[in-house]
Amino acid sequence: QSALTQEASVSGTVGQKVTLSCIGNSNNIGRYAVGWYQQVSHGPPKTVMFGDSLSSGIPDRFSGSKSGTIASLTISGLQPEDEADYYCSTRDSSLSGWVFGGGTKLTVL
Amino acid sequence: EVQLVESGGTLVQPGGSLRLSCVASGFTFSSYEMKWVRQAPGKGLEWVSYISSNDVFTYYADSVKGRFTISRDNRKNSVHLHMNSLRAEDTAMYFCVLDDGGFDIWGQGTMVIVSS
């Protein structure tokens, strides 16, 4: 069981807005910035954003936010190329390390 | 361009040892923290280990603590993962990760299979 909780799957149609969530606790998301990673067809992951800042080359239809112990990744104007697995991750003070969510499989219908 | 190239993954018997390597280029390696992250077949990502830029601090996931050791050679722009007492559950793709202030950059990975 992952330290961070993500939806197993989310789907949307082209152009739709979707939000992926990542639930943690006061030792991880409540304390540190959250990173979001995109993995297409089990290739290497790519950082989408960290905190509320986009990674270089990532389109601005992606945005991130955090409220308390819940982080969210929103994609406004879903595109076919956004279909991938998305993982959230952050540090955890109780584990002296990093934790990941179980990943969300995003399907573009 | 930042490049991370992992090597060393192979088929190994349970209880065996292996050393993974990651050679970096395209940035000032000695200024950055590095991590190893793994992914078992069909599963999610799991953080394995971390090493600070100056080699002073190292951290490990509970699942590998006491069996794996992370090290780095800033003269050779490389980071290593020494893996002992390997178990079937260590079977995974191992990714070398550059921690650029949270904007992680990932290598292509190297596959480790622990099986008799």
Side-chain angles (χ1 to χ4, degrees), chain B residues 27-57:
Chain B
F27 63 102
T28 305
F29 179 76
S30 59
S31 297
Y32 291 91
E33 303 164 354
M34 300 294 294
K35 293 182 283 192
W36 286 94
V37 174
R38 69 184 180 183
Q39 185 171 37
K43 302 295 185 182
L45 301 172
E46 179 189 16
W47 169 75
V48 173
S49 186
Y50 157 95
I51 187 164
S52 61
S53 59
N54 57 9
D55 203 2
V56 171
F57 300 104

mmCIF file of all heavy atoms in Angstrom, chain B residues 27-57:
data_model
loop_
_atom_site.group_PDB
_atom_site.id
_atom_site.type_symbol
_atom_site.label_atom_id
_atom_site.label_comp_id
_atom_site.label_asym_id
_atom_site.label_seq_id
_atom_site.Cartn_x
_atom_site.Cartn_y
_atom_site.Cartn_z
ATOM 1 N N PHE B 27 25.806 18.323 -17.062
ATOM 2 C CA PHE B 27 25.584 19.223 -15.942
ATOM 3 C C PHE B 27 26.717 19.030 -14.941
ATOM 4 O O PHE B 27 27.509 18.082 -15.055
ATOM 5 C CB PHE B 27 24.227 18.959 -15.283
ATOM 6 C CG PHE B 27 24.070 17.593 -14.675
ATOM 7 C CD1 PHE B 27 24.176 17.395 -13.302
ATOM 8 C CD2 PHE B 27 23.816 16.486 -15.468
ATOM 9 C CE1 PHE B 27 24.033 16.138 -12.740
ATOM 10 C CE2 PHE B 27 23.672 15.225 -14.921
ATOM 11 C CZ PHE B 27 23.785 15.049 -13.549
ATOM 12 N N THR B 28 26.792 19.920 -13.954
ATOM 13 C CA THR B 28 27.832 19.849 -12.929
ATOM 14 C C THR B 28 27.406 18.827 -11.894
ATOM 15 O O THR B 28 26.722 19.147 -10.909
ATOM 16 C CB THR B 28 28.061 21.225 -12.290
ATOM 17 O OG1 THR B 28 28.345 22.177 -13.323
ATOM 18 C CG2 THR B 28 29.241 21.164 -11.321
ATOM 19 N N PHE B 29 27.795 17.591 -12.104
ATOM 20 C CA PHE B 29 27.310 16.453 -11.314
ATOM 21 C C PHE B 29 27.507 16.675 -9.818
ATOM 22 O O PHE B 29 26.623 16.370 -9.018
ATOM 23 C CB PHE B 29 28.039 15.190 -11.762
ATOM 24 C CG PHE B 29 27.643 13.952 -11.020
ATOM 25 C CD1 PHE B 29 26.441 13.318 -11.279
ATOM 26 C CD2 PHE B 29 28.481 13.410 -10.050
ATOM 27 C CE1 PHE B 29 26.063 12.173 -10.590
ATOM 28 C CE2 PHE B 29 28.123 12.260 -9.359
ATOM 29 C CZ PHE B 29 26.913 11.652 -9.630
ATOM 30 N N SER B 30 28.646 17.205 -9.432
ATOM 31 C CA SER B 30 28.985 17.323 -8.014
ATOM 32 C C SER B 30 28.081 18.298 -7.261
ATOM 33 O O SER B 30 28.106 18.351 -6.031
ATOM 34 C CB SER B 30 30.443 17.750 -7.847
ATOM 35 O OG SER B 30 30.664 18.992 -8.488
ATOM 36 N N SER B 31 27.264 19.049 -7.970
ATOM 37 C CA SER B 31 26.382 20.032 -7.330
ATOM 38 C C SER B 31 24.988 19.478 -7.022
ATOM 39 O O SER B 31 24.178 20.175 -6.406
ATOM 40 C CB SER B 31 26.213 21.262 -8.231
ATOM 41 O OG SER B 31 27.452 21.909 -8.429
ATOM 42 N N TYR B 32 24.723 18.270 -7.456
ATOM 43 C CA TYR B 32 23.356 17.767 -7.379
ATOM 44 C C TYR B 32 23.203 16.506 -6.537
ATOM 45 O O TYR B 32 24.059 15.620 -6.532
ATOM 46 C CB TYR B 32 22.815 17.502 -8.780
ATOM 47 C CG TYR B 32 22.584 18.769 -9.559
ATOM 48 C CD1 TYR B 32 23.597 19.300 -10.356
ATOM 49 C CD2 TYR B 32 21.373 19.452 -9.460
ATOM 50 C CE1 TYR B 32 23.391 20.477 -11.049
ATOM 51 C CE2 TYR B 32 21.175 20.631 -10.158
ATOM 52 C CZ TYR B 32 22.184 21.137 -10.946
ATOM 53 O OH TYR B 32 21.988 22.308 -11.628
ATOM 54 N N GLU B 33 22.051 16.439 -5.875
ATOM 55 C CA GLU B 33 21.669 15.246 -5.152
ATOM 56 C C GLU B 33 21.149 14.217 -6.159
ATOM 57 O O GLU B 33 20.606 14.582 -7.196
ATOM 58 C CB GLU B 33 20.566 15.593 -4.140
ATOM 59 C CG GLU B 33 21.000 16.680 -3.165
ATOM 60 C CD GLU B 33 19.846 17.313 -2.421
ATOM 61 O OE1 GLU B 33 18.681 16.994 -2.723
ATOM 62 O OE2 GLU B 33 20.109 18.128 -1.524
ATOM 63 N N MET B 34 21.332 12.947 -5.822
ATOM 64 C CA MET B 34 20.918 11.873 -6.719
ATOM 65 C C MET B 34 20.072 10.850 -5.975
ATOM 66 O O MET B 34 20.223 10.658 -4.760
ATOM 67 C CB MET B 34 22.143 11.175 -7.323
ATOM 68 C CG MET B 34 23.055 12.074 -8.147
ATOM 69 S SD MET B 34 22.256 12.697 -9.648
ATOM 70 C CE MET B 34 22.028 11.183 -10.588
ATOM 71 N N LYS B 35 19.199 10.182 -6.702
ATOM 72 C CA LYS B 35 18.339 9.157 -6.120
ATOM 73 C C LYS B 35 18.279 7.942 -7.043
ATOM 74 O O LYS B 35 18.571 8.047 -8.234
ATOM 75 C CB LYS B 35 16.922 9.717 -5.932
ATOM 76 C CG LYS B 35 16.824 10.818 -4.903
ATOM 77 C CD LYS B 35 15.382 11.294 -4.722
ATOM 78 C CE LYS B 35 14.920 12.195 -5.824
ATOM 79 N NZ LYS B 35 13.656 12.875 -5.502
ATOM 80 N N TRP B 36 17.898 6.815 -6.462
ATOM 81 C CA TRP B 36 17.513 5.642 -7.230
ATOM 82 C C TRP B 36 16.033 5.375 -6.927
ATOM 83 O O TRP B 36 15.622 5.405 -5.766
ATOM 84 C CB TRP B 36 18.350 4.423 -6.857
ATOM 85 C CG TRP B 36 19.750 4.452 -7.376
ATOM 86 C CD1 TRP B 36 20.867 4.892 -6.730
ATOM 87 C CD2 TRP B 36 20.197 4.001 -8.668
ATOM 88 N NE1 TRP B 36 21.974 4.748 -7.530
ATOM 89 C CE2 TRP B 36 21.604 4.193 -8.723
ATOM 90 C CE3 TRP B 36 19.568 3.433 -9.784
ATOM 91 C CZ2 TRP B 36 22.371 3.871 -9.842
ATOM 92 C CZ3 TRP B 36 20.328 3.112 -10.898
ATOM 93 C CH2 TRP B 36 21.710 3.318 -10.925
ATOM 94 N N VAL B 37 15.291 5.098 -7.982
ATOM 95 C CA VAL B 37 13.875 4.773 -7.866
ATOM 96 C C VAL B 37 13.650 3.509 -8.686
ATOM 97 O O VAL B 37 14.238 3.366 -9.764
ATOM 98 C CB VAL B 37 12.992 5.921 -8.402
ATOM 99 C CG1 VAL B 37 11.511 5.507 -8.414
ATOM 100 C CG2 VAL B 37 13.183 7.176 -7.563
ATOM 101 N N ARG B 38 12.821 2.598 -8.206
ATOM 102 C CA ARG B 38 12.599 1.369 -8.951
ATOM 103 C C ARG B 38 11.118 1.166 -9.254
ATOM 104 O O ARG B 38 10.244 1.766 -8.623
ATOM 105 C CB ARG B 38 13.159 0.172 -8.195
ATOM 106 C CG ARG B 38 12.418 -0.196 -6.913
ATOM 107 C CD ARG B 38 13.142 -1.340 -6.197
ATOM 108 N NE ARG B 38 12.461 -1.725 -4.953
ATOM 109 C CZ ARG B 38 12.934 -2.655 -4.124
ATOM 110 N NH1 ARG B 38 14.074 -3.299 -4.394
ATOM 111 N NH2 ARG B 38 12.259 -2.959 -3.028
ATOM 112 N N GLN B 39 10.888 0.286 -10.228
ATOM 113 C CA GLN B 39 9.520 -0.032 -10.634
ATOM 114 C C GLN B 39 9.445 -1.516 -10.972
ATOM 115 O O GLN B 39 10.020 -1.964 -11.968
ATOM 116 C CB GLN B 39 9.103 0.814 -11.832
ATOM 117 C CG GLN B 39 7.657 0.641 -12.238
ATOM 118 C CD GLN B 39 7.235 1.648 -13.292
ATOM 119 O OE1 GLN B 39 8.000 2.007 -14.179
ATOM 120 N NE2 GLN B 39 5.979 2.113 -13.211
ATOM 121 N N ALA B 40 8.754 -2.263 -10.141
ATOM 122 C CA ALA B 40 8.549 -3.687 -10.401
ATOM 123 C C ALA B 40 7.625 -3.848 -11.606
ATOM 124 O O ALA B 40 6.826 -2.954 -11.903
ATOM 125 C CB ALA B 40 7.950 -4.361 -9.173
ATOM 126 N N PRO B 41 7.727 -4.955 -12.305
ATOM 127 C CA PRO B 41 6.894 -5.162 -13.506
ATOM 128 C C PRO B 41 5.411 -4.979 -13.208
ATOM 129 O O PRO B 41 4.868 -5.605 -12.301
ATOM 130 C CB PRO B 41 7.213 -6.607 -13.890
ATOM 131 C CG PRO B 41 8.591 -6.845 -13.381
ATOM 132 C CD PRO B 41 8.671 -6.075 -12.088
ATOM 133 N N GLY B 42 4.766 -4.085 -13.949
ATOM 134 C CA GLY B 42 3.345 -3.847 -13.787
ATOM 135 C C GLY B 42 2.958 -3.077 -12.545
ATOM 136 O O GLY B 42 1.768 -2.934 -12.249
ATOM 137 N N LYS B 43 3.944 -2.566 -11.799
ATOM 138 C CA LYS B 43 3.661 -1.877 -10.537
ATOM 139 C C LYS B 43 4.046 -0.402 -10.621
ATOM 140 O O LYS B 43 4.501 0.085 -11.654
ATOM 141 C CB LYS B 43 4.450 -2.550 -9.396
ATOM 142 C CG LYS B 43 4.151 -4.023 -9.226
ATOM 143 C CD LYS B 43 2.715 -4.270 -8.800
ATOM 144 C CE LYS B 43 2.472 -5.742 -8.508
ATOM 145 N NZ LYS B 43 1.052 -6.003 -8.144
ATOM 146 N N GLY B 44 3.864 0.300 -9.517
ATOM 147 C CA GLY B 44 4.162 1.714 -9.461
ATOM 148 C C GLY B 44 5.609 1.997 -9.101
ATOM 149 O O GLY B 44 6.429 1.091 -8.972
ATOM 150 N N LEU B 45 5.906 3.280 -8.935
ATOM 151 C CA LEU B 45 7.264 3.712 -8.606
ATOM 152 C C LEU B 45 7.523 3.598 -7.112
ATOM 153 O O LEU B 45 6.635 3.843 -6.302
ATOM 154 C CB LEU B 45 7.458 5.167 -9.048
ATOM 155 C CG LEU B 45 7.244 5.435 -10.541
ATOM 156 C CD1 LEU B 45 7.270 6.941 -10.807
ATOM 157 C CD2 LEU B 45 8.307 4.727 -11.365
ATOM 158 N N GLU B 46 8.747 3.231 -6.775
ATOM 159 C CA GLU B 46 9.155 3.117 -5.378
ATOM 160 C C GLU B 46 10.527 3.768 -5.204
ATOM 161 O O GLU B 46 11.504 3.352 -5.838
ATOM 162 C CB GLU B 46 9.225 1.652 -4.936
ATOM 163 C CG GLU B 46 9.677 1.477 -3.487
ATOM 164 C CD GLU B 46 9.949 0.021 -3.098
ATOM 165 O OE1 GLU B 46 10.082 -0.829 -3.996
ATOM 166 O OE2 GLU B 46 10.051 -0.245 -1.895
ATOM 167 N N TRP B 47 10.616 4.753 -4.331
ATOM 168 C CA TRP B 47 11.906 5.369 -4.009
ATOM 169 C C TRP B 47 12.774 4.347 -3.286
ATOM 170 O O TRP B 47 12.295 3.633 -2.397
ATOM 171 C CB TRP B 47 11.709 6.606 -3.146
ATOM 172 C CG TRP B 47 12.980 7.120 -2.566
ATOM 173 C CD1 TRP B 47 13.966 7.810 -3.217
ATOM 174 C CD2 TRP B 47 13.445 6.952 -1.222
ATOM 175 N NE1 TRP B 47 14.996 8.078 -2.358
ATOM 176 C CE2 TRP B 47 14.706 7.578 -1.135
ATOM 177 C CE3 TRP B 47 12.919 6.341 -0.082
ATOM 178 C CZ2 TRP B 47 15.446 7.605 0.048
ATOM 179 C CZ3 TRP B 47 13.644 6.371 1.085
ATOM 180 C CH2 TRP B 47 14.896 6.992 1.153
ATOM 181 N N VAL B 48 14.066 4.275 -3.657
ATOM 182 C CA VAL B 48 14.977 3.294 -3.088
ATOM 183 C C VAL B 48 16.044 3.944 -2.208
ATOM 184 O O VAL B 48 16.266 3.530 -1.068
ATOM 185 C CB VAL B 48 15.669 2.484 -4.210
ATOM 186 C CG1 VAL B 48 16.745 1.561 -3.639
ATOM 187 C CG2 VAL B 48 14.645 1.687 -5.005
ATOM 188 N N SER B 49 16.715 4.970 -2.752
ATOM 189 C CA SER B 49 17.839 5.531 -2.010
ATOM 190 C C SER B 49 18.155 6.940 -2.489
ATOM 191 O O SER B 49 17.785 7.331 -3.603
ATOM 192 C CB SER B 49 19.070 4.629 -2.167
ATOM 193 O OG SER B 49 20.139 5.066 -1.359
ATOM 194 N N TYR B 50 18.862 7.679 -1.650
ATOM 195 C CA TYR B 50 19.245 9.077 -1.917
ATOM 196 C C TYR B 50 20.674 9.301 -1.445
ATOM 197 O O TYR B 50 21.114 8.712 -0.438
ATOM 198 C CB TYR B 50 18.306 10.002 -1.157
ATOM 199 C CG TYR B 50 18.858 11.383 -0.879
ATOM 200 C CD1 TYR B 50 18.583 12.447 -1.719
ATOM 201 C CD2 TYR B 50 19.663 11.625 0.246
ATOM 202 C CE1 TYR B 50 19.093 13.716 -1.460
ATOM 203 C CE2 TYR B 50 20.179 12.881 0.510
ATOM 204 C CZ TYR B 50 19.892 13.924 -0.346
ATOM 205 O OH TYR B 50 20.402 15.168 -0.091
ATOM 206 N N ILE B 51 21.400 10.161 -2.178
ATOM 207 C CA ILE B 51 22.720 10.570 -1.715
ATOM 208 C C ILE B 51 22.876 12.067 -1.948
ATOM 209 O O ILE B 51 22.496 12.594 -3.010
ATOM 210 C CB ILE B 51 23.842 9.762 -2.417
ATOM 211 C CG1 ILE B 51 25.206 10.077 -1.792
ATOM 212 C CG2 ILE B 51 23.855 10.006 -3.929
ATOM 213 C CD1 ILE B 51 26.285 9.056 -2.166
ATOM 214 N N SER B 52 23.418 12.773 -0.967
ATOM 215 C CA SER B 52 23.596 14.210 -1.098
ATOM 216 C C SER B 52 24.733 14.521 -2.072
ATOM 217 O O SER B 52 25.543 13.658 -2.414
ATOM 218 C CB SER B 52 23.878 14.833 0.268
ATOM 219 O OG SER B 52 25.072 14.300 0.814
ATOM 220 N N SER B 53 24.809 15.765 -2.488
ATOM 221 C CA SER B 53 25.793 16.157 -3.496
ATOM 222 C C SER B 53 27.222 15.946 -3.016
ATOM 223 O O SER B 53 28.108 15.582 -3.794
ATOM 224 C CB SER B 53 25.581 17.625 -3.894
ATOM 225 O OG SER B 53 25.705 18.457 -2.755
ATOM 226 N N ASN B 54 27.438 16.156 -1.712
ATOM 227 C CA ASN B 54 28.794 16.019 -1.168
ATOM 228 C C ASN B 54 29.042 14.662 -0.514
ATOM 229 O O ASN B 54 30.058 14.469 0.165
ATOM 230 C CB ASN B 54 29.057 17.131 -0.149
ATOM 231 C CG ASN B 54 28.026 17.136 0.970
ATOM 232 O OD1 ASN B 54 27.210 16.205 1.088
ATOM 233 N ND2 ASN B 54 28.051 18.168 1.794
ATOM 234 N N ASP B 55 28.114 13.734 -0.728
ATOM 235 C CA ASP B 55 28.296 12.358 -0.233
ATOM 236 C C ASP B 55 28.211 12.246 1.287
ATOM 237 O O ASP B 55 28.587 11.234 1.865
ATOM 238 C CB ASP B 55 29.662 11.835 -0.709
ATOM 239 C CG ASP B 55 29.710 10.313 -0.741
ATOM 240 O OD1 ASP B 55 28.689 9.675 -0.441
ATOM 241 O OD2 ASP B 55 30.798 9.757 -1.031
ATOM 242 N N VAL B 56 27.689 13.265 1.937
ATOM 243 C CA VAL B 56 27.627 13.237 3.408
ATOM 244 C C VAL B 56 26.385 12.509 3.898
ATOM 245 O O VAL B 56 26.421 11.783 4.893
ATOM 246 C CB VAL B 56 27.657 14.679 3.966
ATOM 247 C CG1 VAL B 56 27.378 14.686 5.466
ATOM 248 C CG2 VAL B 56 29.009 15.326 3.667
ATOM 249 N N PHE B 57 25.285 12.700 3.201
ATOM 250 C CA PHE B 57 24.030 12.111 3.647
ATOM 251 C C PHE B 57 23.544 11.048 2.673
ATOM 252 O O PHE B 57 23.560 11.249 1.459
ATOM 253 C CB PHE B 57 22.947 13.195 3.771
ATOM 254 C CG PHE B 57 23.293 14.268 4.755
ATOM 255 C CD1 PHE B 57 23.726 15.514 4.317
ATOM 256 C CD2 PHE B 57 23.195 14.033 6.118
ATOM 257 C CE1 PHE B 57 24.054 16.508 5.225
ATOM 258 C CE2 PHE B 57 23.525 15.017 7.030
ATOM 259 C CZ PHE B 57 23.964 16.257 6.579
#
